[in-house]
Short mmCIF file of all heavy atoms in Angstrom, two decimals:
data_model
loop_
_atom_site.label_atom_id
_atom_site.label_comp_id
_atom_site.label_asym_id
_atom_site.label_seq_id
_atom_site.Cartn_x
_atom_site.Cartn_y
_atom_site.Cartn_z
N VAL A 1 -27.14 -25.43 -4.10
CA VAL A 1 -25.89 -25.53 -5.00
C VAL A 1 -24.65 -25.14 -4.15
O VAL A 1 -24.68 -24.09 -3.63
CB VAL A 1 -26.03 -24.76 -6.30
CG1 VAL A 1 -24.79 -24.77 -7.09
CG2 VAL A 1 -27.26 -25.34 -7.09
N ALA A 2 -23.53 -26.05 -4.30
CA ALA A 2 -22.36 -25.69 -3.62
C ALA A 2 -21.50 -24.75 -4.47
O ALA A 2 -20.74 -23.89 -3.94
CB ALA A 2 -21.55 -26.86 -3.31
N GLU A 3 -21.54 -24.90 -5.74
CA GLU A 3 -20.68 -24.13 -6.64
C GLU A 3 -21.26 -23.96 -8.03
O GLU A 3 -21.73 -24.88 -8.63
CB GLU A 3 -19.23 -24.71 -6.83
CG GLU A 3 -18.32 -23.90 -7.65
CD GLU A 3 -16.93 -24.49 -7.77
OE1 GLU A 3 -16.80 -25.74 -7.58
OE2 GLU A 3 -16.15 -23.91 -8.24
N TRP A 4 -21.25 -22.71 -8.66
CA TRP A 4 -21.67 -22.44 -9.98
C TRP A 4 -20.55 -22.04 -10.81
O TRP A 4 -19.62 -21.27 -10.51
CB TRP A 4 -22.69 -21.28 -9.91
CG TRP A 4 -23.94 -21.32 -9.03
CD1 TRP A 4 -23.98 -21.18 -7.75
CD2 TRP A 4 -25.13 -21.75 -9.41
NE1 TRP A 4 -25.20 -21.26 -7.29
CE2 TRP A 4 -26.02 -21.77 -8.27
CE3 TRP A 4 -25.87 -22.14 -10.62
CZ2 TRP A 4 -27.37 -22.03 -8.26
CZ3 TRP A 4 -27.19 -22.56 -10.62
CH2 TRP A 4 -27.87 -22.51 -9.40
N ARG A 5 -20.52 -22.51 -12.13
CA ARG A 5 -19.62 -22.10 -13.09
C ARG A 5 -20.28 -22.03 -14.46
O ARG A 5 -21.07 -22.94 -14.76
CB ARG A 5 -18.44 -23.05 -13.25
CG ARG A 5 -17.51 -23.15 -12.02
CD ARG A 5 -16.19 -23.77 -12.28
NE ARG A 5 -16.23 -25.07 -12.82
CZ ARG A 5 -16.41 -26.14 -12.19
NH1 ARG A 5 -16.52 -26.21 -10.87
NH2 ARG A 5 -16.47 -27.40 -12.79
N ALA A 6 -20.01 -21.03 -15.20
CA ALA A 6 -20.60 -20.92 -16.56
C ALA A 6 -19.73 -20.23 -17.53
O ALA A 6 -18.90 -19.31 -17.14
CB ALA A 6 -21.97 -20.15 -16.50
N THR A 7 -19.78 -20.60 -18.70
CA THR A 7 -19.00 -19.90 -19.96
C THR A 7 -19.94 -19.82 -21.01
O THR A 7 -21.01 -20.36 -21.18
CB THR A 7 -17.69 -20.78 -20.26
OG1 THR A 7 -18.18 -22.00 -20.81
CG2 THR A 7 -16.81 -20.92 -19.18
N ALA A 8 -19.60 -18.68 -21.88
CA ALA A 8 -20.36 -18.42 -23.09
C ALA A 8 -19.23 -18.35 -24.34
O ALA A 8 -18.27 -17.72 -24.09
CB ALA A 8 -21.03 -17.07 -22.94
N ALA A 9 -19.61 -19.01 -25.38
CA ALA A 9 -18.62 -19.05 -26.54
C ALA A 9 -19.54 -18.89 -27.88
O ALA A 9 -20.73 -19.32 -27.85
CB ALA A 9 -17.96 -20.33 -26.59
N LEU A 10 -18.94 -18.39 -28.77
CA LEU A 10 -19.50 -18.25 -30.15
C LEU A 10 -18.63 -18.82 -31.20
O LEU A 10 -17.77 -18.15 -31.80
CB LEU A 10 -19.77 -16.81 -30.58
CG LEU A 10 -20.62 -16.49 -31.89
CD1 LEU A 10 -21.93 -17.22 -31.83
CD2 LEU A 10 -20.75 -15.11 -32.10
N PRO A 11 -18.48 -20.20 -31.27
CA PRO A 11 -17.62 -20.84 -32.24
C PRO A 11 -17.66 -20.38 -33.67
O PRO A 11 -16.59 -20.40 -34.27
CB PRO A 11 -17.97 -22.33 -32.08
CG PRO A 11 -18.78 -22.46 -30.78
CD PRO A 11 -19.39 -21.14 -30.59
N SER A 12 -18.83 -20.05 -34.09
CA SER A 12 -18.93 -19.57 -35.52
C SER A 12 -18.12 -18.20 -35.83
O SER A 12 -17.83 -18.04 -36.97
CB SER A 12 -20.47 -19.38 -35.92
OG SER A 12 -20.94 -18.41 -35.11
N ALA A 13 -17.94 -17.41 -34.77
CA ALA A 13 -17.13 -16.30 -35.00
C ALA A 13 -15.73 -16.33 -34.44
O ALA A 13 -15.07 -15.38 -34.29
CB ALA A 13 -17.96 -15.05 -34.27
N GLY A 14 -15.35 -17.70 -33.89
CA GLY A 14 -14.02 -17.75 -33.42
C GLY A 14 -13.95 -17.27 -31.99
O GLY A 14 -12.71 -17.05 -31.54
N ILE A 15 -14.94 -16.95 -31.26
CA ILE A 15 -14.93 -16.44 -29.96
C ILE A 15 -14.79 -17.52 -28.95
O ILE A 15 -15.79 -18.32 -28.81
CB ILE A 15 -16.00 -15.50 -29.72
CG1 ILE A 15 -15.97 -14.28 -30.73
CG2 ILE A 15 -15.99 -14.97 -28.21
CD1 ILE A 15 -17.13 -13.36 -30.43
N GLU A 16 -13.74 -17.68 -28.24
CA GLU A 16 -13.52 -18.76 -27.28
C GLU A 16 -14.41 -18.62 -26.01
O GLU A 16 -14.94 -17.52 -25.85
CB GLU A 16 -11.99 -18.86 -26.97
CG GLU A 16 -11.13 -19.21 -28.13
CD GLU A 16 -11.39 -20.63 -28.67
OE1 GLU A 16 -11.46 -21.52 -27.90
OE2 GLU A 16 -11.57 -20.77 -29.83
N PRO A 17 -14.49 -19.58 -25.24
CA PRO A 17 -15.28 -19.52 -24.10
C PRO A 17 -15.06 -18.36 -23.17
O PRO A 17 -13.74 -18.14 -22.86
CB PRO A 17 -15.20 -20.81 -23.30
CG PRO A 17 -14.90 -21.76 -24.44
CD PRO A 17 -14.06 -21.01 -25.44
N ILE A 18 -15.91 -17.49 -22.75
CA ILE A 18 -15.73 -16.39 -21.86
C ILE A 18 -16.47 -16.71 -20.61
O ILE A 18 -17.59 -17.16 -20.54
CB ILE A 18 -16.39 -15.06 -22.48
CG1 ILE A 18 -15.73 -14.74 -23.75
CG2 ILE A 18 -16.25 -13.98 -21.52
CD1 ILE A 18 -16.50 -13.66 -24.55
N GLU A 19 -15.75 -16.52 -19.50
CA GLU A 19 -16.23 -17.00 -18.12
C GLU A 19 -17.42 -15.96 -17.79
O GLU A 19 -17.24 -14.72 -17.84
CB GLU A 19 -15.26 -16.92 -17.06
CG GLU A 19 -15.93 -17.30 -15.73
CD GLU A 19 -14.75 -17.51 -14.76
OE1 GLU A 19 -13.59 -17.26 -14.99
OE2 GLU A 19 -15.11 -17.92 -13.58
N VAL A 20 -18.60 -16.50 -17.29
CA VAL A 20 -19.68 -15.59 -16.73
C VAL A 20 -19.48 -15.57 -15.28
O VAL A 20 -19.60 -16.61 -14.62
CB VAL A 20 -20.97 -16.24 -17.05
CG1 VAL A 20 -22.17 -15.26 -16.69
CG2 VAL A 20 -21.05 -16.54 -18.65
N PRO A 21 -19.15 -14.39 -14.72
CA PRO A 21 -19.05 -14.30 -13.25
C PRO A 21 -20.51 -14.38 -12.53
O PRO A 21 -21.37 -13.78 -12.89
CB PRO A 21 -18.57 -12.83 -13.03
CG PRO A 21 -18.25 -12.24 -14.30
CD PRO A 21 -18.88 -13.04 -15.42
N LEU A 22 -20.58 -15.38 -11.73
CA LEU A 22 -21.76 -15.71 -11.04
C LEU A 22 -21.71 -15.37 -9.56
O LEU A 22 -20.71 -15.62 -8.90
CB LEU A 22 -22.21 -17.15 -11.25
CG LEU A 22 -22.43 -17.57 -12.70
CD1 LEU A 22 -22.63 -19.09 -12.76
CD2 LEU A 22 -23.65 -16.79 -13.37
N LEU A 23 -22.90 -14.74 -9.06
CA LEU A 23 -22.98 -14.49 -7.62
C LEU A 23 -24.22 -15.23 -7.10
O LEU A 23 -25.29 -14.93 -7.59
CB LEU A 23 -23.13 -12.98 -7.49
CG LEU A 23 -23.21 -12.53 -5.94
CD1 LEU A 23 -21.95 -12.84 -5.23
CD2 LEU A 23 -23.48 -11.02 -5.94
N PRO A 24 -24.16 -16.10 -6.15
CA PRO A 24 -25.22 -16.82 -5.61
C PRO A 24 -26.13 -15.73 -4.78
O PRO A 24 -25.63 -14.94 -4.00
CB PRO A 24 -24.58 -17.78 -4.62
CG PRO A 24 -23.24 -17.97 -5.09
CD PRO A 24 -22.81 -16.68 -5.62
N LEU A 25 -27.44 -15.82 -5.09
CA LEU A 25 -28.36 -15.04 -4.48
C LEU A 25 -29.11 -15.75 -3.31
O LEU A 25 -29.25 -15.25 -2.28
CB LEU A 25 -29.39 -14.39 -5.30
CG LEU A 25 -30.46 -13.40 -4.85
CD1 LEU A 25 -29.77 -12.27 -4.27
CD2 LEU A 25 -31.39 -13.02 -5.86
N THR A 26 -29.52 -17.04 -3.67
CA THR A 26 -30.03 -18.00 -2.68
C THR A 26 -29.38 -19.30 -2.88
O THR A 26 -28.40 -19.38 -3.79
CB THR A 26 -31.63 -18.13 -2.79
OG1 THR A 26 -31.80 -18.76 -4.08
CG2 THR A 26 -32.29 -16.73 -2.73
N ASP A 27 -29.76 -20.30 -2.10
CA ASP A 27 -29.20 -21.55 -2.24
C ASP A 27 -29.24 -22.16 -3.64
O ASP A 27 -28.39 -22.98 -4.14
CB ASP A 27 -29.79 -22.54 -1.28
CG ASP A 27 -29.30 -22.42 0.14
OD1 ASP A 27 -28.33 -21.69 0.24
OD2 ASP A 27 -29.99 -22.94 1.06
N ASN A 28 -30.38 -21.86 -4.30
CA ASN A 28 -30.50 -22.46 -5.57
C ASN A 28 -30.64 -21.45 -6.80
O ASN A 28 -31.04 -21.77 -7.95
CB ASN A 28 -31.89 -23.34 -5.64
CG ASN A 28 -33.16 -22.35 -5.76
OD1 ASN A 28 -33.21 -21.34 -5.21
ND2 ASN A 28 -33.95 -22.80 -6.75
N HIS A 29 -30.28 -20.22 -6.54
CA HIS A 29 -30.44 -19.16 -7.50
C HIS A 29 -29.06 -18.37 -7.56
O HIS A 29 -28.55 -17.88 -6.59
CB HIS A 29 -31.52 -18.23 -7.19
CG HIS A 29 -31.70 -17.10 -7.96
ND1 HIS A 29 -32.52 -15.96 -7.62
CD2 HIS A 29 -31.34 -16.75 -9.27
CE1 HIS A 29 -32.45 -15.10 -8.64
NE2 HIS A 29 -31.73 -15.57 -9.56
#
């Protein structure tokens, strides 16, 4: 994988997407 991006949101509670900081451990993890 060249780049990872992820967000988490809870629309039912009005919580907008929060970025999940990701750190590559291996090429695919």
